[in-house]
């Protein structure tokens, strides 16, 4: 404590009060000192209580730091390589869908389970998903069987027909569209006799620029349909290669129907039933013969008819194509290289076993328009069907003109009048015969621009 007796300020106080003041001041100093000591003592006691815990934690930390640490580096398990997915043609996906439904209608498993049998293995996983949605009418009875490919995969379906159908090859070179739910498609184009109407002219400075007008026309493509119904028994459906059989039926029959009606000049227009073949009314002449000089004469004529073509093509029966490839002159095969390359003097070569033999068609593919939707396939195990086709022999359903492969309403054969036909038409119940009826309808139409088609008749190549 500070000695207050020597403090100048205390010395200045009167003698009478100085001792009393010093006493009070010392008491005050002692109280402050006591409080300070007590506070420090309390803090010391508190620190003393916590100190063992702190020491223990520090010891544990020191041991943890000093102890060696074993680190095990683990690498993630590499991903299992999945099997590559097989790419199947749209015709096979459609066939798988049809067979899966037919098996289901005959009391079998669900279509999804049948697809797993028809397209087994992980490599067909995506194919099964696509096949599940590869047909239209399933959506009318079962929401899970949608129509996802109806519009998006029409092109894929036609590509799957390329090996069998000349029209599928022509459609790929030309302009292909889908109806998209419409009953017709209209598009504008230059008028038939409107050549050079907008041809520009050279103009002198300050001279007036000429004004011209073009004659435009438009073409409306109405929707028509190719249709067929067939019956299959339970025993037939369950054979081991039914998928291959169904795919071949779809490919061959659709290809044959298209190639006949698009290219054969005898397939004329029938109002509300079918469009005319692109060769109807087109320039034509008889083939010059089968020799090399004759072939050159024929192709020269076709090429001359397509002098303004942007994508000229030549269409023929596969036998004619092979005859050109094997045409021999002095031990050489002068056309073989061009045939193998698929091009005859600038004409893209298209061939098919379903093109009418004896006709060879030249066409500007850029002027060919093809509109279609994916074939609509449906199956039923509870149908009553009148067994009458559009082909001879009778009974057959034909148009008023007597054409085969085309049916109009007045000449249809209904179940109610089947017994009155000559001979009587047989009526079958698929339920009673344990069979399935398959119906396929293909919405389709086509057209070409004026002056874009010509053809040869009486071709004897091969």
């Amino acid at each position: 404590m500070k000695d207050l007796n020597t403090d100048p300020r205390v010395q200045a106080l009167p003698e009478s009060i100085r001792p009393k003041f010093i006493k009070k001041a010392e008491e005050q100093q002692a109280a402050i000192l006591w409080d300070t000591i007590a506070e420090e003592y309390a803090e010391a006691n508190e620190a003393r209580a916590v100190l063992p815990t702190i020491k223990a934690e520090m010891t544990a930390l020191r041991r943890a730091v000093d102890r060696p640490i074993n680190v095990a580096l683990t690498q993630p398990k590499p991903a299992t390589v999945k099997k590559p997915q097989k790419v199947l043609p749209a015709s096979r996906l459609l066939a798988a869908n049809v067979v899966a439904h037919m098996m289901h209608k005959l009391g079998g498993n669900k279509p999804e389970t049948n697809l797993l049998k028809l397209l087994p293995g992980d490599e067909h996983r995506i194919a099964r998903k696509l096949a599940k949605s590869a047909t239209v009418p399933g959506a009318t009875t079962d929401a899970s069987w949608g129509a996802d490919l109806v519009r998006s995969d029409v092109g894929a379906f036609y590509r799957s027909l390329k090996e069998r159908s000349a029209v599928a090859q022509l459609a790929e070179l030309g302009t292909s569209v889908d109806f998209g739910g419409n009953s017709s498609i209209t598009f504008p184009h230059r008028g038939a006799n409107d050549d050079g109407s907008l041809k520009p002219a050279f103009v002198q400075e300050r001279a007036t620029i000429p004004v011209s007008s073009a004659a435009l026309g438009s073409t409306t493509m109405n929707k028509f349909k190719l249709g067929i119904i067939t019956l299959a028994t339970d025993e037939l459906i369950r054979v081991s290669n039914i998928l291959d059989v169904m795919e071949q039926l779809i490919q061959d029959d659709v290809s044959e129907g298209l190639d006949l009606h698009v290219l054969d000049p005898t397939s004329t227009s029938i109002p509300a039933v079918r469009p005319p073949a692109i060769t109807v009314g087109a320039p034509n002449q008889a083939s010059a013969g089968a020799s090399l000089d004759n072939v050159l004469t024929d192709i020269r004529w076709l090429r001359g008819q397509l002098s303004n073509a942007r994508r000229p093509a030549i269409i023929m029966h596969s036998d004619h194509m092979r005859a050109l490839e094997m045409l021999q002159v002095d031990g050489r095969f002068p056309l073989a290289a061009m045939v193998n390359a698929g091009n005859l003097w600038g004409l893209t070569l298209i061939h098919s076993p379903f093109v009418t033999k004896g006709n060879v068609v030249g066409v500007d593919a850029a002027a060919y328009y093809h509109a279609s939707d994916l074939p609509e396939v449906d199956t039923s195990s509870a149908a009553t069907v009148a067994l009458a086709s559009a082909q001879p022999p009778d009974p057959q359903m034909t148009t008023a003109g007597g054409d085969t492969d085309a049916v109009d309403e007045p000449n249809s054969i209904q179940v109610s009048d089947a017994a009155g036909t000559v001979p009587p038409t047989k009526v079958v119940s698929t339920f009673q015969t344990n069979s399935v009826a398959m119906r396929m309808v293909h919405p389709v139409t086509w057209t070409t621009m004026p002056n874009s088609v010509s053809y040869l008749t009486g071709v004897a190549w091969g």
Side-chain angles (χ1 to χ4, degrees):
M1 291 177 55
K2 184 178 179 180
D3 186 5
L4 297 177
N5 289 313
T6 59
D7 190 314
R9 291 170 297 178
V10 176
Q11 293 293 330
L13 293 174
E15 185 69 26
S16 58
I17 63 172
R18 187 185 303 163
K20 188 176 182 179
F21 175 81
I22 292 174
K23 182 178 180 182
K24 290 289 184 181
E26 289 177 346
E27 290 177 355
Q28 186 67 29
Q29 284 184 338
I32 294 173
L33 180 61
W34 176 257
D35 290 341
T36 301
I37 293 172
E39 183 177 353
E40 292 177 354
Y41 181 77
E43 292 177 355
N45 280 339
E46 183 178 353
R48 182 180 180 186
V50 177
L51 185 60
T53 303
I54 296 175
K55 291 177 63 177
E57 291 178 354
M58 291 182 66
T59 301
L61 288 173
R62 187 176 293 108
R63 290 175 180 173
V65 172
D66 294 340
R67 184 175 64 246
I69 300 175
N70 296 323
V71 179
L73 296 177
T74 58
Q75 188 174 11
K77 185 179 180 181
T80 303
V81 179
K82 295 183 178 179
K83 292 184 178 180
Q85 296 295 298
K86 289 188 176 181
V87 179
L88 301 181
S91 59
R92 191 163 187 84
L93 300 177
L94 184 60
N97 191 320
V98 173
V99 174
H101 273 85
M102 295 174 79
M103 295 170 67
H104 172 65
K105 293 293 176 63
L106 286 174
N109 298 316
K110 292 182 178 181
E112 293 93 336
T113 304
N114 294 329
L115 275 178
L116 187 58
K117 294 180 179 179
L118 295 168
L119 302 173
D122 185 63
E123 66 271 20
H124 286 124
R125 176 169 44 85
I126 295 179
R128 288 193 296 271
K129 292 182 179 180
L130 293 174
K132 184 178 176 182
S133 58
T135 188
V136 179
T140 64
T141 56
D142 186 346
S144 66
W145 287 79
D148 296 343
L149 300 184
V150 173
R151 297 193 177 96
S152 64
D153 219 31
V154 176
F157 176 73
Y158 272 84
R159 286 192 295 273
S160 71
L161 303 180
K162 282 176 57 177
E163 293 184 358
R164 308 293 289 167
S165 170
V167 171
Q169 300 170 59
L170 179 60
E172 188 172 48
L173 290 174
T175 301
S176 296
V177 295
D178 61 83
F179 287 106
N182 301 309
S183 60
S184 64
I185 301 173
T186 300
F187 54 91
H189 57 81
R190 180 187 288 271
N193 299 313
D194 185 61
D195 293 333
S197 61
L198 297 182
K199 184 171 63 177
F202 286 99
V203 181
Q204 184 183 10
E205 186 178 359
R206 296 185 180 180
T208 58
I209 299 175
V211 177
S212 299
S213 62
L216 299 180
S218 64
T219 296
T220 297
M221 301 172 68
N222 295 309
K223 182 187 290 188
F224 299 92
K225 64 182 180 183
L226 289 166
I228 190 65
I229 293 176
T230 188
L231 303 182
T233 63
D234 174 67
E235 292 78 12
L236 175 62
I237 293 173
R238 299 190 188 283
V239 298
S240 59
N241 65 331
I242 182 61
L243 180 56
D244 297 326
V245 173
M246 186 60 64
E247 182 185 17
Q248 184 176 356
L249 286 174
I250 291 174
Q251 287 182 332
D252 287 352
D253 294 352
V254 174
S255 297
E256 183 174 5
L258 286 173
D259 288 4
L260 171 68
H261 292 299
V262 174
L263 300 172
D264 195 306
T266 64
S267 183
T268 55
S269 172
I270 301 177
V273 176
R274 75 183 181 201
I278 62 174
T279 49
V280 172
N284 63 90
Q285 73 173 24
S287 171
S291 69
L292 178 60
D293 288 340
N294 295 148
V295 171
L296 293 176
T297 298
D298 287 342
I299 295 180
R300 187 182 299 113
W301 180 81
L302 287 174
R303 194 67 181 89
Q305 298 296 312
L306 301 173
S307 58
N308 291 326
R310 288 177 289 163
R311 289 196 290 274
I314 185 170
I315 306 173
M316 64 187 70
H317 190 280
S318 297
D319 287 349
H320 296 327
M321 181 274 298
R322 284 186 286 269
L324 294 181
E325 182 182 25
M326 299 174 65
L327 183 64
Q328 188 174 6
V329 178
D330 298 331
R332 298 178 298 105
F333 300 92
L335 303 183
M338 286 190 292
V339 172
N340 289 331
N343 191 292
L344 293 175
W345 295 285
L347 296 167
T348 299
L349 176 58
I350 296 174
H351 67 93
S352 158
F354 301 119
V355 176
T356 302
K357 207 167 183 180
N359 291 345
V360 172
V361 181
V363 59
D364 180 5
Y368 176 76
Y369 292 81
H370 189 97
S372 63
D373 280 339
L374 198 66
E376 303 170 1
V377 182
D378 204 359
T379 59
S380 175
S381 58
T384 301
V385 182
L387 302 184
S389 73
Q391 306 286 340
D394 291 334
Q396 62 173 320
M397 296 181 286
T398 59
T399 64
D403 288 6
T404 59
D405 301 320
V407 179
D408 61 359
E409 193 279 329
N411 290 277
S412 298
I413 297 178
Q414 311 288 344
V415 172
S416 58
D417 58 15
T421 63
V422 180
T425 300
K426 186 177 180 180
V427 176
V428 171
S429 166
T430 57
F431 177 80
Q432 190 174 15
T433 57
N434 191 31
S435 56
V436 175
M438 181 192 75
R439 180 185 67 209
M440 181 171 67
V441 175
H442 182 32
V444 65
T445 193
W446 53 81
T447 192
T448 55
M449 295 296 98
N451 306 319
S452 60
V453 180
S454 59
Y455 66 97
L456 297 167
T457 61
V459 175
W461 308 338

